[in-house]
Amino acid sequence: MIRVLLADDEAMIRSALAALLRLEDDIDVVAECADGLQAVALAEKLQPDICLLDLEMPGLDGVEVAERLNRSVATRCVVVTRHARPGVLRRALASGVAGFLPKSRDADEVAEVIRRVAAGARYVDPEVAADALSDERSPLTDRELDVLRAGRRGETTGQVAKALSLAPGTVRNHISAVLAKLHVATRQQAVLMAEERGWI
């Protein structure tokens, strides 16, 4: 039996997918949750075989959850998203995610991906993979992307600095470099561009 934790902040989608997966003879949905922090806590407690994670959740996104779990739990993570952008795929694979697919897939396809990943394989949706090969790469450094990610919800420079254990002046320097590289005037414009291109 493949034990699955399902995390998605959209209650209707989460409950419908859980119900459909429970119809499979070899899959047991052992927990459902609505945000990334709860997903980490439940996964560390229950040790599921697979964590099926929505990309966009409050607290921590699906990739951030996978990064944390890869350090603490012997579980494999599959990320599902409505916006399967190539940059997000690269970030997910770099974090150790074992599966990546769009939410447009049927429940039986999701179940098959769960089986493949539980058996030790990796799975990336073919359309997303093809797009990733042709997509432009981010001109920003990993640290610059971290600064944008930490401030994507309008956090102050001080809050970003504290979250990343950096000095506020260092954060300001990173933001100045980002604005120059992306040719935009504000941090909000930089965040929007990075989100649209799947860099964060």
Side-chain angles (χ1 to χ4, degrees):
M1 188 67 76
I2 303 168
R3 301 171 69 251
V4 175
L5 179 149
L6 179 56
D8 192 315
D9 62 327
E10 296 182 70
M12 188 165 63
I13 290 174
R14 183 179 68 246
S15 58
L17 183 56
L20 291 168
L21 289 175
R22 286 187 173 111
L23 297 175
E24 303 289 333
D25 293 336
D26 57 343
I27 295 176
D28 180 21
V29 178
V30 296
E32 299 174 48
C33 55
D35 67 70
L37 291 170
Q38 191 180 15
V40 171
L42 282 171
E44 289 177 344
K45 178 182 176 184
L46 299 173
Q47 307 273 317
D49 301 305
I50 300 289
C51 287
L52 188 63
L53 308 166
D54 183 23
L55 176 66
E56 296 169 359
M57 293 186 289
L60 299 171
D61 71 23
V63 174
E64 291 167 329
V65 171
E67 286 172 341
R68 291 201 186 188
L69 294 180
N70 283 337
R71 295 193 295 264
S72 63
V73 182
T75 189
R76 306 197 80 208
C77 295
V78 176
V79 170
V80 295
T81 178
R82 183 170 284 116
H83 308 290
R85 298 178 301 260
V88 175
L89 170 62
R90 284 194 293 271
R91 189 176 140 236
L93 294 178
S95 75
V97 165
F100 191 92
L101 68 159
K103 278 189 172 181
S104 57
R105 296 296 174 254
D106 294 334
D108 58 343
E109 292 178 84
V110 176
E112 190 53 42
V113 170
I114 288 171
R115 290 185 188 100
R116 289 172 65 173
V117 170
R122 293 181 93 181
Y123 177 85
V124 175
D125 180 79
E127 291 175 24
V128 177
D131 288 344
L133 292 173
S134 62
D135 190 58
E136 66 176 306
R137 292 196 177 274
S138 168
L140 306 180
T141 66
D142 288 344
R143 185 49 100 182
E144 288 164 353
L145 291 169
D146 287 342
V147 167
L148 283 186
R149 204 172 288 120
R152 73 196 305 175
R153 295 176 182 90
E155 290 85 350
T156 65
T157 300
Q159 290 170 322
V160 172
K162 185 175 180 182
L164 298 176
S165 300
L166 296 173
T170 302
V171 171
R172 283 191 288 274
N173 290 340
H174 283 308
I175 292 170
S176 294
V178 167
L179 299 183
K181 287 179 181 180
L182 299 185
H183 308 289
V184 294
T186 68
R187 190 177 73 182
Q188 288 74 22
Q189 290 173 325
V191 166
L192 184 62
M193 179 183 290
E195 287 178 338
E196 286 175 347
R197 297 186 183 186
W199 298 337
I200 62 173

